Amino acid sequence: DTGVSQNPRHKITKRGQNVTFRCDPISEHNRLYWYRQTLGQGPEFLTYFQNEAQLEKSRLLSDRFSAERPKGSFSTLEIQRTEQGDSAMYLCASSWELGLNSGNTIYFGEGSWLTVV
Amino acid sequence: AQTVTQSQPEMSVQEAETVTLSCTYDTSESDYYLFWYKQPPSRQMILVIRQEAYKQQNATENRFSVNFQKAAKSFSLKISDSQLGDAAMYFCAYRRNAGGTSYGKLTFGQGTILTVHP
């Protein structure tokens, strides 16, 4: 069990460019979550998947953001036409849940830092 | 919508002493979980302790314990015999259990920075 893995760990990009982050959850975890965290603040929910189905998207996830989990394993979070306000740490997390239950531990990755200049 | 509030942006404690971090939350649900997560500087968030809302008994994990007051919607974390390694940002979080919409995701408070003095 290698934990939740995120790549790249750091990304500096120019405003207007597209960026993609990858998350590899703990193997056999069926739920995968994306959060955004700015300095000194708590993480804010973006979206989550159960297997390959995207179950919920936050209003924070504008049209420029898209997340996929094509085979129910790894996930990607793409930000198109980046803006300076997108600068943040993007956290991925995973858990294993039976059906609709939501009581098991959610494990977090180390995050991917995005700086838009 | 559920909200979680941590009213102490920063707390400090002497090594080996006890400190309590406060958290309040707002929900109309009855089936939920509460968590305390620890986030050391530049390191990943890890679970410290969890509490099921249906359980009256307060959860404990070694030096960490909670005071869960369901009616008051209060969920504080007590750290006993504080150690230097306890220094971190601590987040209180709420998670609704199954049913309806918006279940499964964690809603976090703003965090409390804990400093431990040797």
Side-chain angles (χ1 to χ4, degrees), chain A residues 4 9 31 33 35 37 40-43 45 48 50 55-56 89 91 95 97 100-110, chain B residues 33 35 37 39 42-47 50 52 89 91 95-99 101-111:
Chain A
V4 179
R9 294 291 318 282
R31 287 209 195 156
Y33 312 80
Y35 287 81
Q37 186 179 19
Q41 299 296 315
F45 170 77
Y48 85 97
Q50 179 140 335
L55 294 190
E56 186 175 350
M89 181 164 68
L91 286 166
S95 68
E97 309 287 350
L100 300 179
N101 291 328
S102 298
N104 290 335
T105 299
I106 295 178
Y107 295 88
F108 284 82
E110 295 192 39
Chain B
Y33 300 87
F35 305 85
Y37 276 87
Q39 188 177 42
S42 302
R43 297 187 64 184
Q44 70 193 110
M45 192 144 9
I46 58 173
L47 178 67
R50 56 178 277 163
E52 292 87 342
M89 176 83 100
F91 291 100
R95 191 183 191 199
R96 178 182 173 178
N97 203 5
T101 59
S102 295
Y103 66 89
K105 67 180 184 183
L106 285 166
T107 299
F108 287 89
Q110 306 91 323

Side-chain angles (χ1 to χ4, degrees), chain A residues 3-31:
Chain A
V4 179
S5 176
Q6 293 189 244
N7 289 288
R9 294 291 318 282
H10 300 274
K11 179 73 175 178
I12 301 174
T13 190
K14 291 183 178 180
R15 189 176 52 184
Q17 298 294 304
N18 299 344
V19 296
T20 299
F21 298 112
R22 177 181 169 122
C23 172
D24 288 273
I26 293 172
S27 61
E28 298 181 357
H29 276 193
N30 56 356
R31 287 209 195 156

Side-chain angles (χ1 to χ4, degrees), chain B residues 72-89:
Chain B
K73 295 179 182 174
S74 170
F75 183 61
S76 60
L77 173 70
K78 185 170 83 171
I79 306 174
S80 303
D81 185 26
S82 297
Q83 300 175 359
L84 295 177
D86 294 334
M89 176 83 100

